[in-house]
Amino acid sequence: AQKVTQAQTEISVVEKEDVTLDCVYETRDTTYYLFWYKQPPSGELVFLIRRNSFDEQNEISGRYSWNFQKSTSSFNFTITASQVVDSAVYFCALSERSGGGADGLTFGKGTHLIIQP
Amino acid sequence: DGGITQSPKYLFRKEGQNVTLSCEQNLNHDAMYWYRQDPGQGLRLIYYSQIVNDFQKGDIAEGYSVSREKKESFPLTVTSAQKNPTAFYLCASSPGLAAISETQYFGPGTRLLVL
């Protein structure tokens, strides 16, 4: 079963529109961490946010905001007043201890966000 | 500047050839990781290392090997046993001993192509 699901493969909006990227995760752990990364065309992953499972407060950083809801196992990412520079692939990732897996991140397949001028 | 460097940016492999991808970090991080990214896919963990001279297999370690002789360096060798090596390879590091709370920071990546 996929542990991190980003159902939106690609989203295209016009500049200045608001856009929300969905992330649904699956874990049996009570302690886990969720991350969002941005991958611009250059390829390097840029860290955006880390959130632990005990902190359900929403977070805002400039035009970016994150909505963490344990009840629905979701960690959605909203960009307000989008700009062309926001065009990238965005990944949601999970860090957990269960399942005996390696201590790496489990990534979703990413959402390709296209901001049209 | 502190960061993670990967070289080369592009690498071409011939059939049956082993190739080595370089990853160096000057962040004084303990843990280092290698991920593989295929088109339209998320990243998958190949190997990780929590400390010098120790490393662990990830989810897709077959056909790959690593070494960790220095804290700053974590090279990845793609062996001839890896039948489908064409992918984008990303190296990452994190400050602590690969704890689940650690944020991983990524290098610019190496794109490997098979001739």
Side-chain angles (χ1 to χ4, degrees), chain B residues 12-25:
Chain B
F12 299 91
R13 193 191 92 162
K14 296 180 180 179
E15 293 288 339
Q17 187 182 42
N18 291 355
V19 292
T20 297
L21 285 62
S22 169
C23 177
E24 305 273 335
Q25 54 97 1

Side-chain angles (χ1 to χ4, degrees), chain A:
Chain A
Q2 197 169 354
K3 289 195 170 185
V4 179
T5 302
Q6 295 181 256
Q8 305 149 309
T9 303
E10 184 174 290
I11 300 175
S12 181
V13 300
V14 177
E15 197 172 22
K16 297 185 183 177
E17 286 186 12
D18 298 347
V19 58
T20 295
L21 283 60
D22 297 332
C23 174
V24 174
Y25 63 92
E26 178 186 330
T27 180
R28 290 174 292 182
D29 284 351
T30 55
T31 301
Y32 53 90
Y33 288 77
L34 295 162
F35 300 80
W36 275 94
Y37 286 88
K38 174 182 181 180
Q39 186 176 43
S42 61
E44 181 173 350
L45 262 71
V46 178
F47 166 71
L48 296 177
I49 191 172
R50 179 185 72 187
R51 177 51 52 96
N52 75 60
S53 53
F54 298 106
D55 183 2
E56 287 195 72
Q57 280 193 341
N58 290 336
E59 178 142 349
I60 298 174
S61 177
R63 296 184 297 107
Y64 295 173
S65 63
W66 291 269
N67 184 344
F68 177 33
Q69 291 194 350
K70 289 177 72 172
S71 60
T72 56
S73 296
S74 65
F75 187 43
N76 297 337
F77 172 33
T78 297
I79 301 175
T80 303
S82 60
Q83 299 177 2
V84 173
V85 293
D86 296 327
S87 297
V89 179
Y90 290 86
F91 289 98
C92 180
L94 168 70
S95 180
E96 56 174 349
R97 188 63 77 194
S98 69
D103 291 331
L105 294 169
T106 300
F107 283 84
K109 293 188 176 182
T111 296
H112 185 196
L113 178 62
I114 300 169
I115 310 297
Q116 300 183 25

Side-chain angles (χ1 to χ4, degrees), chain B residues 21-43:
Chain B
L21 285 62
S22 169
C23 177
E24 305 273 335
Q25 54 97 1
N26 61 4
L27 301 168
N28 200 32
H29 285 176
D30 286 310
M32 297 186 74
Y33 312 78
W34 274 105
Y35 290 88
R36 168 179 171 143
Q37 184 181 18
D38 293 285
Q41 301 295 315
L43 282 67

